[in-house]
Amino acid sequence: MNMKKKTAFILCAVLIISIVCVCALRSNYVLICGKIINRSATEVVLSGEELPDVEKLHRINELKTLDLREFDISLEFYEMLCAEFPGCEILWIVPFQGENWDNYATDITVTSMTPEYVDMLKYFPKLQSVDARQCRDYPALMELIAARPDLKVRYNVTLGAEVLQENATDCTVTNENVRTLLEMLPYLPELKTVTSDGCTDYDALMAIRDARPELSVHYSVVIGQTPRTADATALRLDIADAAEAVELLQYFPDLTEVTFEGPATNYDLMYQLKCRYPD
């Protein structure tokens, strides 16, 4: 009889100790995604097939960093976690342009840009530069640059066979690409010099000057088979070239004096010149 009492006493003690241990375990630890975590932990790394239970995460009293990079997390779930744990740093994989990016990436590559993509870059708090050299969505890239002046945005502007970087300071134009440059001027903010390589699209060259007065635009105008630099202030022309000059003198923005050599025989033409270019 005494042995039975002794055995019962031992079993009862074991049961009580087990209950106390379980209660202590439950009070100090929490089971999340199959992992036992101390409730006083400040950094937690989780993995598994199912997303962590938010209610259980709240049982971790001092949570400062939550690493969920092993999960496929939607933007909505991430936003919800940010709202639930405003003081917690959440590490996750951002689905962006069909690829998965660590949200702590410092450099990313894009092939397209939209206002929606510009907004999504807010999910990369450590981002320093964006490689957009394969992107041709220039208005959206300008929006990105304006919205995120802290980023280095690298992109290319293609002018026919010539490829310019976003910080290009000079370029060469031909008849084939001068109109393209005129269109792309807003995307070359550091451009300082434009040089013509035989370009005879004078209207486009003048339009470039008008669009960006601070630019140095170097080109020549052919009058009488002779190239004349467009920044000339005075010209000496053969009288035989007067008819051609009527149309071409407008492309010399700094011109103040023209001298025609040879006897004038077409006084009506001379009158047209004086009326069209009174200055």
Side-chain angles (χ1 to χ4, degrees), residues 34-273:
K35 186 175 183 178
I36 298 174
I37 300 171
N38 193 312
R39 293 183 63 184
S40 63
T42 59
E43 298 182 8
V44 172
V45 179
L46 295 175
S47 62
E49 296 183 358
E50 296 185 2
L51 294 175
D53 188 315
V54 175
E55 188 277 328
K56 290 184 177 180
L57 287 173
H58 273 295
R59 297 180 192 175
I60 305 174
N61 301 319
E62 304 295 331
L63 187 59
K64 300 297 182 184
T65 303
L66 179 60
D67 189 337
L68 301 178
R69 286 177 291 188
E70 294 298 321
F71 294 95
D72 291 329
I73 293 180
S74 66
L75 297 179
E76 293 75 17
F77 187 77
Y78 171 76
E79 295 282 7
M80 181 270 292
L81 288 177
C82 290
E84 292 284 336
F85 306 94
C88 180
E89 184 178 42
I90 301 172
L91 308 181
W92 64 302
I93 299 299
V94 185
F96 182 73
Q97 292 197 352
E99 297 186 35
N100 294 323
W101 294 87
D102 192 313
N103 73 315
Y104 267 21
T106 58
D107 306 274
I108 65 172
T109 300
V110 300
T111 56
S112 62
M113 186 56 59
T114 65
E116 292 73 23
Y117 285 148
V118 171
D119 185 62
M120 281 191 65
L121 292 180
K122 67 185 178 184
Y123 296 116
F124 299 92
K126 304 292 186 181
L127 192 61
Q128 297 177 4
S129 67
V130 175
D131 185 343
R133 286 175 290 184
Q134 300 303 315
C135 177
R136 297 296 178 264
D137 301 318
Y138 298 112
L141 287 175
M142 296 304 102
E143 181 180 335
L144 169 60
I145 291 170
R148 294 289 302 274
D150 56 306
L151 296 180
K152 170 64 177 177
V153 181
R154 293 169 292 170
Y155 61 91
N156 291 335
V157 173
T158 302
L159 303 179
E162 186 171 10
V163 178
L164 302 178
Q165 295 182 351
E166 80 286 347
N167 59 351
T169 58
D170 59 270
C171 73
T172 301
V173 293
T174 63
N175 285 334
E176 288 71 30
N177 66 14
V178 65
R179 294 278 171 176
T180 303
L181 175 62
L182 181 59
E183 179 184 349
M184 294 297 175
L185 277 179
Y187 313 126
L188 295 167
E190 298 185 36
L191 191 64
K192 294 180 173 57
T193 304
V194 177
T195 303
S196 165
D197 182 10
C199 180
T200 56
D201 190 344
Y202 305 126
D203 288 322
L205 290 167
M206 288 292 287
I208 290 172
R209 288 179 61 117
D210 294 340
R212 294 275 294 274
E214 78 280 7
L215 292 180
S216 296
V217 183
H218 303 293
Y219 62 95
S220 295
V221 179
V222 179
I223 301 179
Q225 299 184 343
T226 302
R228 321 276 178 163
T229 57
D231 57 355
T233 58
L235 291 176
R236 299 185 68 86
L237 303 174
D238 192 290
I239 193 66
D241 301 324
E244 190 177 12
V246 171
E247 296 298 328
L248 296 178
L249 289 182
Q250 62 180 308
Y251 302 121
F252 296 84
D254 302 321
L255 190 62
T256 59
E257 179 183 343
V258 179
T259 301
F260 287 98
E261 298 177 335
T265 57
N266 190 336
Y267 296 104
D268 181 61
L269 183 59
M270 293 296 103
Y271 180 74
Q272 290 183 45
L273 280 167

